[in-house]
Amino acid sequence: MRVLETVSPSGRLLAVAAVAAWGLGAVLGWDELVLLGATAVVLLAFASLLTLGHGSVRVAVGITKRRLQPDDSTRCAVEVEHQGRRSLFAPEVELPIGKDRVEVFDRGREIEIAGLRRGVIAVGPATTVRGDPLGLLRRTVPMTEVVEVFVHPLTVPLEPLGTGLLRDLEGCTTNDVSMSDLAFHALREYAPGDDRRHIHWRSTAKLAQDGRFLVRQYLDSRRAHIVVVVDGESFPDGDVFETALSAGASVVKRAVADEIDTTVVAAGHVSRRGGAQHALDVFARAELGGPVLAEAATRAVAAAPDATLVVLITGAKHGYAELRVAAAAFPPEVRKVVLRVDPSAHTKRAASTAFTVLTLRQLNDLPALLSGGTLQ
């Protein structure tokens, strides 16, 4: 099967013609057809000789920058070393860049990759190509691995998110009552089973009567953990989807800078508590047409069961009932913010008992929309 893969369509056509001409010439007694078939066989044999051998070529590919912004450029350095004596029919080297662009050369060179849009650009694998001048046979051997270049979405600078996420030595306080933590909440009467180490003796001596004791109660503390979810099916076109990804990437970039644990679910791709670059890589991989918002929210719950804040980014397609279903996937104690990207609406905020709804018209409105502790 691998041998057949080296034969080009023109080579297969020539092989069929050779067999047909030779056979027909032998049957009819036409020496011209036999000679024609023999000539085709000689050509195929000569082409086979040119494709044989492993070749002593070393290829190395290096990328200057693997993570870029849209319209940025990077340079790809390709080193080609022909070990030993270089023959006339030394193999060429092909380097695929993206889906369509292929560079062909027989010695080292430097390639500029420019004009990129958000996404993942696959560079490589670099392959050596052996073949004949007529293109009858073509044998390729991969020499390097595929190198991915990530083009992240555009982002806008945001105010620090840590202002409203009150953090103590262990994390941020919640509304959950605990019997042992750092954030003091209140005093209550002692109940069987309470730890006697939490009895507040001074208050007991002043306020308690009839031998009753007062114990301390605390608010449970937990480390802040933001989850950003971008669904991939509620946007009318690619431009609105790009705005949604840019908004999510801006929030993630700010959260990572504030040293807040961050999980990203973008159109089905998941990143769990990675650094800023790895989290933004998820946005680069996202494509329009991913899972619906409710399914994306379910994946986010599985990826981050200890979330304290979730930002659901969606389009104008979903109504309040659908947004409520997606938000209900998270526990009640998790704060929920829904960011609806709608170029035809005005940027605004609307709070409800279940979650806060933000409407974003364009990316430049995001800093003002999130200012003043909106994500608190």
Side-chain angles (χ1 to χ4, degrees), residues 87-267:
S87 64
L88 178 62
F89 301 104
E92 292 183 332
V93 177
E94 288 186 355
L95 179 68
I97 301 176
K99 296 181 179 180
D100 303 320
R101 181 179 170 186
V102 178
E103 298 286 342
V104 181
F105 44 87
D106 59 358
R107 63 187 64 187
R109 63 182 294 186
E110 193 171 84
I111 305 168
E112 183 178 8
I113 307 175
L116 303 177
R117 301 183 61 184
R118 184 200 61 82
V120 180
I121 311 299
V123 179
T127 58
T128 57
V129 181
R130 284 183 172 272
D132 61 281
L134 298 179
L136 302 177
L137 278 74
R138 187 176 188 273
R139 185 166 67 94
T140 60
V141 179
M143 303 297 293
T144 63
E145 300 292 335
V146 176
V147 179
E148 293 182 324
V149 176
F150 296 91
V151 184
H152 295 157
L154 291 173
T155 58
V156 292
L158 302 177
E159 294 180 357
L161 305 179
T163 303
L165 301 175
L166 303 178
R167 303 173 69 172
D168 53 23
L169 294 177
E170 295 294 329
C172 62
T173 59
T174 69
N175 293 324
D176 301 330
V177 176
S178 172
M179 285 304 299
S180 178
D181 218 302
L182 296 177
F184 176 75
H185 175 56
L187 295 172
R188 65 167 176 80
E189 291 188 8
Y190 175 86
D194 288 341
D195 192 338
R196 294 186 179 183
R197 291 176 298 178
H198 295 298
I199 296 177
H200 197 276
W201 295 106
R202 182 174 298 179
S203 298
T204 298
K206 291 182 179 180
L207 303 176
Q209 299 177 357
D210 303 330
R212 292 176 298 167
F213 298 96
L214 296 178
V215 296
R216 302 181 184 90
Q217 268 190 328
Y218 301 86
L219 287 178
D220 198 11
S221 298
R222 117 183 16 156
R223 182 171 175 81
H225 187 169
I226 295 180
V227 178
V228 177
V229 180
V230 182
D231 79 283
E233 57 82 36
S234 64
F235 304 96
D237 54 52
D239 292 338
V240 182
F241 182 56
E242 293 299 324
T243 301
L245 292 176
S246 293
S250 299
V251 174
V252 168
K253 195 172 182 178
R254 181 69 260 180
V256 173
D258 293 342
E259 298 182 353
I260 300 174
D261 290 341
T262 307
T263 296
V264 179
V265 178

Side-chain angles (χ1 to χ4, degrees), residues 66-67 118-120 148-153 269 271 275-286:
R66 290 186 55 203
R67 290 176 171 85
R118 184 200 61 82
V120 180
E148 293 182 324
V149 176
F150 296 91
V151 184
H152 295 157
H269 298 278
S271 171
Q277 299 299 329
H278 289 89
L280 294 178
D281 289 348
V282 175
F283 291 104
R285 294 187 186 278

